[in-house]
């Protein structure tokens, strides 16, 4: 649970800045929200096919930091016996970039869509970049299906509205107007 008793999602565009030897600012902010001296952080890089380099980068980034880092990989099979137990025992869950469409499909097969909703309801701070930003919304625009941006409607729906990640046109596209209605912003209801 966040220190302020509220639920938080920090979603940023792709290509996040990863300063060498430093924790990215949005992750530092997420960790601070927990109010914990040694917050537990779990990284998921499903959208990038669980590339081991991404997990290693996360561990390297946090050397000397009080955060206790873990990761959940789903390829070729889960690296932990109980993904739900791992995720629901965290203070922060970080989701990396890649193919949001593929990630959400894999998550649904493994029940992570339900687990992430439980994490949200429990007040675990959720954060991510690119695919890890889009996934929390109802939908958004993505290049997960090819070079041309297409609408994605199968987001987790923890936040209402659509999400436009980095690389998406800054101008409103006909696709976004027709399909998502309110491009580039989350609507609060």
């Amino acid at each position: 649970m966040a220190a302020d008793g509220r639920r938080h999602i920090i979603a940023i565009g792709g290509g996040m800045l990863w300063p060498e030897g430093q924790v990215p600012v949005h992750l530092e902010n997420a960790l601070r929200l927990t109010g914990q001296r040694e917050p537990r952080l779990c990284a998921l890089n499903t959208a990038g096919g669980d590339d081991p380099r991404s997990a290693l980068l996360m561990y390297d980034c946090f050397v000397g930091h009080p955060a206790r880092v873990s990761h959940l990989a789903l390829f070729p099979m889960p690296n932990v016996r109980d993904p739900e137990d791992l995720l629901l025992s965290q203070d922060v869950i970080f989701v990396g970039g890649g193919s949001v469409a593929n990630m959400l499909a894999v998550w649904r097969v493994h029940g992570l869509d339900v687990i992430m909703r439980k994490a949200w309801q429990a007040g675990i701070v959720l954060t991510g970049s690119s695919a890890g930003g889009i996934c929390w919304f109802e939908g958004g625009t993505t290049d997960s299906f090819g070079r041309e941006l297409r609408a994605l409607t199968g987001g987790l729906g923890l936040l209402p509205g659509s999400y436009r990640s980095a690389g998406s046109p800054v101008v409103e596209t006909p696709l976004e107007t027709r399909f998502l209605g309110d491009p580039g912003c989350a609507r609060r209801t």
Side-chain angles (χ1 to χ4, degrees):
M1 174 66 76
D4 64 5
R6 297 170 47 197
R7 294 181 292 194
H8 297 274
I9 293 178
I10 301 173
I12 68 166
M16 70 178 187
L17 298 175
W18 205 286
E20 190 172 329
Q22 296 178 21
V23 175
V25 173
H26 76 287
L27 286 177
E28 194 65 63
N29 288 337
L31 294 168
R32 194 173 304 113
L33 283 170
T34 71
Q36 300 293 320
R37 290 183 58 198
E38 295 182 4
R40 295 167 309 232
L41 166 71
C42 185
L44 286 84
N45 290 297
T46 317
D50 286 328
D51 183 341
R53 292 175 295 187
S54 296
L56 290 174
L57 178 63
M58 185 65 72
Y59 286 107
D60 286 348
C61 178
F62 281 91
V63 168
H65 192 283
R68 295 179 296 182
V69 180
S70 62
H71 76 283
L72 174 62
L74 299 175
F75 290 102
M77 63 190 72
N79 65 324
V80 297
R81 183 156 29 116
D82 189 346
E84 181 171 9
D85 182 60
L86 173 68
L87 292 174
L88 295 182
S89 69
Q90 303 302 307
D91 298 304
V92 176
I93 297 173
F94 167 77
V95 179
S99 173
V100 66
N102 292 345
M103 176 184 73
L104 289 168
V106 170
W107 279 9
R108 287 187 169 104
V109 167
H110 289 275
L112 264 65
D113 54 332
V114 174
I115 296 168
M116 289 299 193
R117 183 165 295 281
K118 288 179 182 179
W120 168 243
Q121 291 168 340
I124 295 168
V125 177
L126 306 174
T127 185
S129 64
S130 191
I134 296 171
C135 68
W136 313 117
F137 290 82
E138 293 170 321
T141 52
T142 180
D143 59 2
S144 291
F145 306 107
R147 291 200 176 280
E148 296 295 318
L149 289 178
R150 288 182 41 195
L152 174 91
T153 58
L156 297 177
L158 302 179
L159 295 176
S162 65
Y163 179 90
R164 178 190 291 156
S165 183
S168 297
V170 174
V171 297
E172 183 175 322
T173 67
L175 171 67
E176 291 172 320
T177 302
R178 182 177 70 250
F179 198 72
L180 303 171
D182 189 8
C185 67
R187 295 184 306 267
R188 301 302 291 189
T189 55

